[in-house]
Amino acid sequence: MAKSSTPRSSSRIALWLLLIIAAAIAAALYAYRAPIGGYADVGTSYAARVACSCRFVAGRTMEDCEKDKLGGMELVTLSDDVEAKSVTARFPLVTSNTATFREGYGCVLEKWEG
């Protein structure tokens, strides 16, 4: 007679599968950290520069400037500092970049460190 699986053994199997999937995702992120970081740096730099120009050259609201982000940039968040006339773009847990409006030059990115 075949033994049926108990709810306890089913939950253990599910837990192990979840741990294996989490470990595989972590390994993939670690293996591709350089390209992910590079794309995140370029994406946040682009977003900060475009949003800064939108906000402080064109005079649009930050909410309106959010519409200018390209497809695939949903994880990039934007915040402005009106006093400093700058916009910072962040990619969670990876990088952030800031562009500042300078009279006569427009919006200029801060130097990259890295």
Side-chain angles (χ1 to χ4, degrees):
M1 193 164 165
K3 203 175 192 185
S4 66
S5 66
T6 64
R8 186 174 175 153
S9 65
S10 295
S11 64
R12 280 187 182 171
I13 292 171
L15 178 63
W16 277 106
L17 285 174
L18 187 62
L19 289 172
I20 291 169
I21 291 170
I25 291 171
L29 288 173
Y30 181 77
Y32 292 101
R33 69 188 178 282
I36 290 170
Y39 287 128
D41 241 355
V42 169
T44 55
S45 296
Y46 172 82
R49 166 67 179 75
V50 169
C52 178
S53 295
C54 170
R55 182 77 175 98
F56 299 108
V57 175
R60 294 165 48 198
T61 65
M62 207 56 207
E63 292 77 26
D64 196 34
C65 295
E66 287 274 349
K67 298 174 189 173
D68 293 343
K69 290 193 301 188
L70 299 175
M73 296 181 77
E74 291 81 10
L75 292 177
V76 175
T77 59
L78 300 171
S79 60
D80 63 341
D81 181 343
V82 177
E83 288 183 25
K85 290 189 175 182
S86 67
V87 173
T88 300
R90 289 180 179 82
F91 189 90
L93 304 174
V94 180
T95 191
S96 69
N97 283 292
T98 301
T100 303
F101 176 76
R102 295 200 179 127
E103 196 64 47
Y105 294 96
C107 289
V108 179
L109 288 170
E110 290 183 2
K111 283 190 172 186
W112 284 3
E113 295 178 17

